[in-house]
Amino acid sequence: MATPDHLFNLRNNFYLGAYQAAINSSDVNGLSQDDVVERDTLVHRCYIALGQLQFVISEINSSAPTPLQAVKLLALYFSSPDAKESAISSIKEWLADPAIGNNATLRLVAGIIFLHEQDFNEALKYTNAGGTMELHALNVQIFIKMHRSDYAERQLRIMQQIDEDHTLTQLANAWLDLSVGGSKIQEAHLIFQDLSERYQSTSLLLNGKAVCCMQMGNFDEAETLLVEALNKDARDPETLANLVVCCLHLGKPSSKSFSQLKLSHPDHVLVKRVSAAEESFDRALQSVS
């Protein structure tokens, strides 16, 4: 008989982007030592997602288990541009250590960091072997970023063989459908809708539906979904970025959303692209003046 999964609600809320709900459901009794480490790891990752980086850095001490040390490193990486180089150097050093280098959480954190660095080959070096549903799901994301939907589909097939109904399998399926486009957009929308009805409507799922709507040309519906997402989390970078794009298509002012995004997430890809475009435009003006 299968043992009960005491951490299901915590884990599932985390996957769906319901970070506060995940933290609230973390007080579980009767956990094994491994479960305690997994619980603490997930809770601290929720705090990272909520932007409470210094709390995570101060809470995890040097004697904590490897998974928690890896999460602290992730918080350090996101804490400031100056800390990135040090965090990358440390994680490479840890990954080279035979005693801890194959730890699944350490490999996952390495994958997340190198995905953010746009160093996809380095990320895959640590994630490609899989081993957990999160690692497989991260592989799907990396391959989509590399425009290799064929490899992403292979990873999805592995996930479906392990557990077709798993929340991460459903999300990975929706991500892949979005990247493929065409008739698959409607299928992605149905997945996001189904997850919203089965669990709860989060900013992550609302953004998923909004992107589907935008790709189908339904910008008014997308705007409604994004405003709802903004009410759940006014600082969420993906909501702000998607709202900028949506407003531009609707011919509405987008400067407020863009200013918020630039202020709270200056490293966001949209901010960087707009800044690069502005610099190119200024150089072009100077060359003809």
Side-chain angles (χ1 to χ4, degrees):
M1 202 166 125
T3 55
D5 184 356
H6 297 295
L7 296 178
F8 176 82
N9 287 334
L10 167 59
R11 211 181 285 115
N12 211 53
N13 281 326
F14 174 73
Y15 298 151
L16 293 167
Y19 304 116
Q20 193 58 56
I23 293 167
N24 294 345
S25 66
S26 66
D27 190 13
V28 183
N29 295 320
L31 297 179
S32 68
Q33 190 54 45
D34 285 347
D35 283 346
V36 168
V37 173
E38 184 184 355
R39 178 197 64 191
D40 293 349
T41 299
L42 285 165
V43 166
H44 283 95
R45 288 175 67 193
C46 287
Y47 282 119
I48 290 174
L50 291 169
Q52 296 184 35
L53 303 172
Q54 291 305 322
F55 172 76
V56 174
I57 292 164
S58 63
E59 279 288 299
I60 300 172
N61 61 43
S62 57
S63 62
T66 300
L68 282 165
Q69 293 290 351
V71 170
K72 181 176 183 176
L73 210 54
L74 186 64
L76 284 164
Y77 172 80
F78 286 126
S79 65
S80 73
D82 296 337
K84 284 187 176 185
E85 200 173 310
S86 170
I88 291 169
S89 174
S90 293
I91 202 154
K92 283 185 173 179
E93 188 180 320
W94 294 1
L95 288 158
D97 183 342
I100 61 169
N102 201 37
N103 180 273
T105 305
L106 184 60
R107 291 193 293 120
L108 181 74
V109 166
I112 293 167
I113 286 174
F114 290 116
L115 175 59
H116 273 271
E117 290 291 305
Q118 306 279 306
D119 192 343
F120 306 127
N121 290 329
E122 191 69 18
L124 287 169
K125 193 188 294 184
Y126 308 110
T127 64
N128 201 30
T132 69
M133 291 298 272
E134 270 206 272
L135 281 163
H136 289 304
L138 186 57
N139 283 332
V140 171
Q141 289 183 309
I142 294 166
F143 287 129
I144 288 170
K145 286 275 191 183
M146 294 172 75
H147 306 290
R148 291 305 305 260
S149 57
D150 51 340
Y151 284 111
E153 189 167 352
R154 283 185 209 170
Q155 286 292 318
L156 177 60
R157 296 287 166 261
I158 293 168
M159 295 177 76
Q160 288 171 333
Q161 285 166 12
I162 297 167
D163 185 352
E164 193 168 9
D165 295 325
H166 197 289
T167 297
L168 283 178
T169 307
Q170 295 298 309
L171 286 170
N173 200 341
W175 301 332
L176 183 57
D177 286 344
L178 267 173
S179 72
V180 171
S183 61
K184 290 285 186 182
I185 301 295
Q186 188 62 46
E187 291 178 31
H189 190 278
L190 288 171
I191 292 172
F192 290 126
Q193 183 62 35
D194 177 60
L195 288 170
S196 298
E197 290 170 1
R198 223 184 324 159
Y199 300 111
Q200 61 173 298
S201 189
T202 63
S203 183
L204 183 146
L205 295 175
L206 288 164
N207 271 275
K209 286 194 283 186
V211 172
C212 291
C213 289
M214 285 195 280
Q215 289 211 29
M216 292 187 287
N218 302 332
F219 292 100
D220 286 318
E221 188 179 344
E223 185 187 25
T224 302
L225 291 163
L226 291 169
V227 168
E228 187 182 342
L230 207 60
N231 288 332
K232 290 181 181 292
D233 182 358
R235 293 178 71 255
D236 179 61
E238 299 316 312
T239 304
L240 292 167
N242 286 327
L243 202 52
V244 169
V245 174
C246 192
C247 288
L248 287 171
H249 279 277
L250 288 168
K252 293 184 176 182
S254 61
S255 56
K256 184 183 175 184
S257 296
F258 185 73
S259 295
Q260 284 177 287
L261 180 65
K262 193 173 182 179
L263 189 66
S264 56
H265 301 276
D267 284 338
H268 193 278
V269 63
L270 183 64
V271 174
K272 285 182 173 179
R273 283 179 180 174
V274 169
S275 298
E278 287 173 346
E279 286 168 13
S280 296
F281 184 71
D282 288 343
R283 281 197 301 272
L285 275 181
Q286 287 168 6
S287 67
V288 294
S289 59

